[in-house]
């Protein structure tokens, strides 16, 4: 009888480890990483960030109602955490083992060398949170690193279930027949038997007319190039595979939801280039060089001579412009004599503003004193439907939080009529661009319905927020300005793109996307190079 033995996956399993704020603050990160490395874990991806409350709540959603749940959520939302994706054989079980029991005191007795025993303080501040199953590992990795989800290996249990359901019954019968016949060429005989007895149909395997699949290089991409947009624009599978060819690849990326919400202004620009992509087989990338050998591929994957190929009517425009000087105003140094405004508010109003600030990434890094300064300085404004809250071209005086109602964003370019580009709902913010750059308002925001806004004056905004919190924003904006497809966006549009981007790092040989998979991520290369390949089916003589 042919049996499947449960065993380890040949390529490592992945799990997630979150180093909590108290451990980051007291400098335990290095010791924890050293312990993980010593245990044989490879760090596949990592990020350090102040996790917004909604994402913390989603991370702990399966622990609602358990002891200390609310305190744990509050702690993880209180400061920066470090999130690691770790890989090794049986990673989930191994990580649970090295993390130790949740209670640091219990860990000191039963697992004194564990991370929680060494670095934990209490049930809330117990150093790390780790995935407790392969299911939770997938869910948690998707929450922080959606681009890694498709790379994850199935668990041994999942592999065993698949083999026993789909493979073992047929293969057992085939091997039994093979042993009875004992043909001189057992592999060809078994191949033909499987094709004839496959549950999918009766087909004869003829090796002389077999076809093999090869990969053809169809493009190479580098800094400032982008890929992944076609799958999102057309809701079709990935058309190429993209593999890292440099020692390290750094990308900026956004998921499907952000792509659809933020890149509205780019949608028409990107679609105009679809025709030129078709010359490369409808591939999911912007080519920077012709495929090797001078041939190109049609949409069915068959090679075509260049002279027979119709030249694209709308090639991608290449913008060449001088790198502009940074437009951010200089950070403001705190003056000891400066005092922030204090606008009287009811306790209920303060609590409402605080609730909005907790979910706003721009304020997530503030300590309690800074948060209080911002709340006290906020001033309430009401606007009737149709009234302008800010007007394009005006000087920037306030940053706004939308408390109630809805607002619409309009941008006017040249003599054209203003174009609606965005809508705001309660909890969202706007008006930061003019305060960041020291430029006139880049858009008009009108109340779609009666609205209530909380406004932070320019002086407080700059003194509290601009000293440290926008370094990444400034870096991303400067980089995006030199990405060809984004070069003609307005400053406002580019700011919104930069605000939505996340970063990821890959190593040489890593596959970023696989041909045929569903596409949920749009990528821009910040550093490094990749090769794009497409599968070509060829006959074997």
């Amino acid at each position: 009888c042919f049996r499947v033995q449960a065993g380890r996956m040949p390529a490592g399993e992945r799990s997630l480890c979150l180093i909590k704020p108290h451990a980051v603050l007291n400098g335990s990160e290095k010791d924890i990483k050293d312990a993980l490395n010593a245990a044989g874990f490879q760090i596949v991806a990592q990020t350090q960030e102040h996790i917004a409350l909604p994402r913390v709540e989603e991370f702990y959603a399966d622990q609602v109602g358990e002891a200390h749940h609310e305190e744990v959520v509050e702690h993880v939302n209180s400061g920066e955490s470090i999130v690691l994706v770790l890989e090794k054989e049986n990673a989930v079980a191994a990580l649970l083992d090295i993390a130790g029991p949740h209670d640091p005191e219990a860990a000191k007795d039963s697992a004194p060398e564990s991370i929680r025993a060494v670095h934990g303080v209490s049930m809330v501040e117990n150093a790390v949170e780790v995935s407790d199953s392969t299911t939770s590992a997938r869910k948690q990795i998707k929450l922080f690193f959606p681009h890694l989800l498709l790379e994850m290996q199935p668990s041994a249990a999942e592999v065993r279930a698949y083999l026993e359901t789909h493979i073992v019954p047929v293969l057992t019968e085939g091997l039994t027949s093979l042993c009875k016949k004992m043909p001189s060429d057992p592999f060809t005989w078994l191949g033909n038997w499987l094709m004839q007895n496959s549950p999918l149909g009766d087909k004869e395997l003829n090796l002389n007319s077999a076809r093999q699949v090869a990969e053809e290089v169809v493009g190479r991409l580098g800094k400032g190039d982008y890929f992944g947009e076609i799958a999102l624009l057309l809701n079709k599978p990935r058309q190429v595979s993209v593999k890292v060819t440099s020692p390290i690849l750094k990308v900026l990326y956004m998921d499907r939801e952000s792509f659809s919400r933020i890149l509205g202004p780019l949608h028409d620009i990107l679609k105009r280039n679809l025709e030129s992509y078709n010359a490369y087989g409808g591939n999911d990338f912007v080519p920077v060089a012709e495929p090797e050998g001078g041939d190109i591929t049609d949409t069915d994957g068959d090679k075509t001579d260049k002279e027979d190929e119709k030249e694209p009517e709308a090639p991608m425009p290449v913008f060449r412009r001088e790198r502009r000087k940074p437009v951010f105003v200089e950070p403001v140094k705190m003056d000891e004599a400066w005092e922030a405004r204090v606008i009287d508010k009811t306790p209920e109003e303060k609590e409402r503003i605080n609730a909005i600030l907790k979910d706003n990434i721009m304020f997530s890094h503030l300590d309690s004193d800074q948060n209080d300064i911002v709340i006290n300085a906020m001033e309430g404004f009401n606007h009737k439907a149709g009234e302008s809250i800010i007007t394009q071209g005006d000087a920037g005086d306030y940053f706004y939080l939308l408390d109630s109602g809805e607002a619409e964003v309009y941008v006017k370019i040249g003599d054209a009529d203003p174009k609606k580009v965005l809508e705001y709902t309660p909890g969202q913010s706007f008006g930061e661009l003019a305060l960041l750059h020291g430029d006139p308002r880049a858009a008009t925001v009108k109340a779609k319905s009666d609205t209530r806004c909380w406004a932070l004056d320019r002086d407080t905004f700059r003194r509290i927020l601009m000293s440290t919190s926008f370094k990444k924003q400034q870096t991303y904006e400067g980089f995006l300005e030199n990405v060809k497809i984004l070069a003609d966006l307005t400053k406002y549009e580019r700011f919104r793109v930069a605000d939505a981007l996340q970063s990821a790092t890959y190593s040489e040989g890593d596959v970023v996307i696989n041909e045929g998979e569903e596409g949920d991520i749009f990528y821009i290369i910040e550093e490094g190079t990749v090769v794009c390949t497409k599968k070509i089916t060829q006959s074997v003589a």
Side-chain angles (χ1 to χ4, degrees):
C1 179
F2 184 77
R3 298 176 59 85
V4 176
Q5 295 185 359
R8 296 177 177 181
M9 294 300 300
E13 188 177 67
R14 289 182 179 178
S15 189
L16 184 136
C17 174
L18 185 149
I19 304 177
K20 293 184 173 180
H22 79 93
V24 175
L25 190 62
N26 66 25
S28 298
E29 171 195 354
K30 183 178 184 302
D31 290 341
I32 292 174
K33 286 184 176 179
D34 287 346
L36 293 170
N37 288 329
F41 287 96
Q42 178 185 352
I43 298 177
V44 176
Q46 63 179 314
T47 182
Q48 181 168 343
E49 59 183 278
H50 189 134
I51 306 171
L53 183 59
R55 195 146 57 138
V56 177
E57 291 175 337
E58 184 176 353
F59 183 80
Y60 287 103
D62 59 349
Q63 297 182 22
V64 173
E66 295 185 3
H68 308 292
H69 169 72
E70 293 183 359
E71 295 95 327
V72 170
V73 169
E74 183 178 357
H75 172 62
V76 174
N77 182 237
S78 68
E80 288 195 341
S81 299
I82 296 174
V83 186
L84 308 172
V85 177
L86 303 170
E87 183 176 272
K88 69 170 292 184
E89 292 182 351
N90 295 325
V92 173
L95 187 55
L96 284 167
D97 185 58
I98 193 174
H102 279 83
D103 185 350
E105 294 303 318
K108 291 175 183 177
D109 292 333
S110 61
E113 302 295 325
S114 66
I115 293 174
R116 288 173 176 146
V118 176
H119 301 284
V121 178
S122 66
M123 286 289 288
V124 174
E125 298 183 354
N126 60 352
V128 295
E129 199 71 56
V130 301
S131 305
D132 59 8
S133 66
T134 55
T135 300
S136 65
R138 289 175 182 272
K139 177 182 175 181
Q140 292 166 355
I141 290 174
K142 181 179 181 181
L143 184 63
F144 292 99
F145 306 95
H147 61 288
L148 291 180
L149 186 63
L150 293 176
E151 301 175 15
M152 294 183 64
Q153 297 291 339
S155 67
E158 290 172 327
V159 171
R160 177 171 184 165
Y162 173 81
L163 293 176
E164 290 185 341
T165 301
H166 300 285
I167 305 299
V168 171
V170 177
L171 191 55
T172 299
E173 184 181 351
L175 291 175
T176 301
S177 298
L178 176 70
C179 293
K180 291 179 179 178
K181 295 288 186 182
M182 292 188 177
S184 59
D185 184 355
F187 301 106
T188 300
W189 187 95
L190 182 60
N192 281 319
W193 187 94
L194 289 171
M195 295 301 291
Q196 292 170 355
N197 294 275
S198 168
L200 300 179
D202 182 12
K203 299 179 181 178
E204 178 73 20
L205 176 63
N206 186 341
L207 294 181
N208 291 327
S209 62
R211 298 175 67 82
Q212 67 179 16
V213 177
E215 288 190 342
E216 182 179 51
V217 175
V218 293
R220 301 179 187 277
L221 307 177
K223 181 177 180 179
D225 292 316
Y226 60 93
F227 57 93
E229 77 287 358
I230 304 304
L232 274 63
L233 285 170
L234 301 183
N235 292 315
K236 61 188 296 186
R238 299 293 193 190
Q239 298 298 293
V240 296
S241 294
V242 177
K243 186 176 182 179
V244 182
T245 55
S246 54
I248 190 170
L249 176 74
K250 294 182 178 180
V251 296
L252 303 176
Y253 72 91
M254 64 174 65
D255 58 23
R256 179 182 292 275
E257 179 184 359
S258 298
F259 182 89
S260 301
R261 174 170 52 87
I262 300 296
L263 292 186
L266 281 181
H267 192 274
D268 293 338
I269 298 175
L270 292 167
K271 277 206 166 183
R272 283 204 300 268
N273 293 295
L274 293 181
E275 190 171 345
S276 63
Y277 301 161
N278 287 338
Y280 293 83
N283 296 321
D284 195 9
F285 74 106
V286 179
V288 294
E290 290 185 351
E292 295 179 353
D295 293 325
I296 53 183
T297 307
D298 67 21
T299 55
D300 293 322
D302 296 321
K303 297 180 70 174
T304 307
D305 293 334
K306 286 203 309 184
E307 59 266 17
D308 294 332
E309 182 68 21
K310 181 180 179 180
E311 185 174 326
E313 296 178 2
M316 182 180 66
V318 177
F319 301 97
R320 304 184 185 278
R321 58 169 68 177
E322 295 290 328
R323 181 189 295 267
R324 74 176 181 188
K325 296 179 180 179
V327 294
F328 278 75
V329 294
E330 289 296 322
V332 175
K333 295 182 179 180
M334 291 295 289
D335 183 351
E336 293 182 359
W338 174 79
E339 292 185 6
R341 301 192 315 165
V342 177
I343 309 296
D344 289 338
K345 301 175 186 68
T346 66
E348 291 76 16
E349 288 176 329
K350 289 184 178 181
E351 182 59 33
R352 188 165 182 80
I353 296 172
N354 187 55
I356 298 174
L357 293 180
K358 277 187 175 181
D359 292 336
N360 192 302
I361 193 170
M362 295 182 66
F363 297 89
S364 62
H365 72 290
L366 301 184
D367 58 33
S368 59
D369 290 339
Q370 292 173 321
N371 199 62
D372 288 343
I373 290 175
V374 170
I375 292 174
N376 287 329
M378 287 281 185
E379 183 175 358
F381 289 97
N382 296 317
H383 296 86
K384 295 291 185 181
E387 290 182 354
S388 293
I389 303 173
I390 63 175
T391 303
Q392 184 173 345
D394 286 355
D397 49 3
Y398 287 101
F399 165 79
Y400 294 89
L401 295 176
L402 184 57
D403 188 2
S404 62
E406 297 181 335
E408 298 175 321
V409 182
Y410 293 88
V411 174
K412 178 177 175 60
I413 301 177
D415 296 329
D417 292 335
K419 181 180 180 181
K420 178 181 172 181
V421 297
L422 201 63
E423 288 190 4
Y424 290 124
T425 55
Q428 293 186 290
S429 60
F430 56 90
E432 68 273 26
L433 187 59
L435 275 61
L436 286 170
H437 292 280
D439 285 350
R441 296 291 193 189
T444 294
V445 179
K446 289 185 177 182
K448 182 179 180 181
S449 60
D450 291 351
T451 61
R452 172 72 168 173
C453 294
W454 294 103
L456 185 65
D457 66 283
R458 176 189 178 92
D459 197 28
T460 305
F461 179 89
R462 292 188 61 202
R463 289 174 183 269
I464 296 297
L465 293 174
M466 286 193 61
S467 58
T468 58
S469 65
F470 292 103
K471 290 181 180 179
K472 184 175 76 170
Q473 181 82 24
Q474 181 178 8
T475 300
Y476 283 4
E477 276 204 78
F479 172 75
L480 292 177
E481 190 183 32
N482 294 284
V483 176
K484 289 179 288 187
I485 196 67
L486 307 179
D488 271 12
L489 289 185
T490 66
K491 188 184 302 181
Y492 175 78
E493 292 167 341
R494 195 178 299 117
F495 177 86
R496 303 307 300 182
V497 172
D499 192 46
L501 289 172
Q502 301 182 63
S503 62
T505 301
Y506 296 87
S507 301
E508 186 171 7
D510 287 349
V511 177
V512 184
I513 63 175
N514 282 296
E515 182 180 352
E517 293 176 341
E518 293 185 7
D520 291 307
I521 306 292
F522 166 66
Y523 301 87
I524 302 174
I525 299 177
E526 187 178 13
E527 177 185 330
T529 57
V530 300
V531 62
C532 307
T533 59
K534 189 171 183 67
K535 292 178 181 178
I536 306 297
T537 303
Q538 300 173 332
S539 296
V540 178

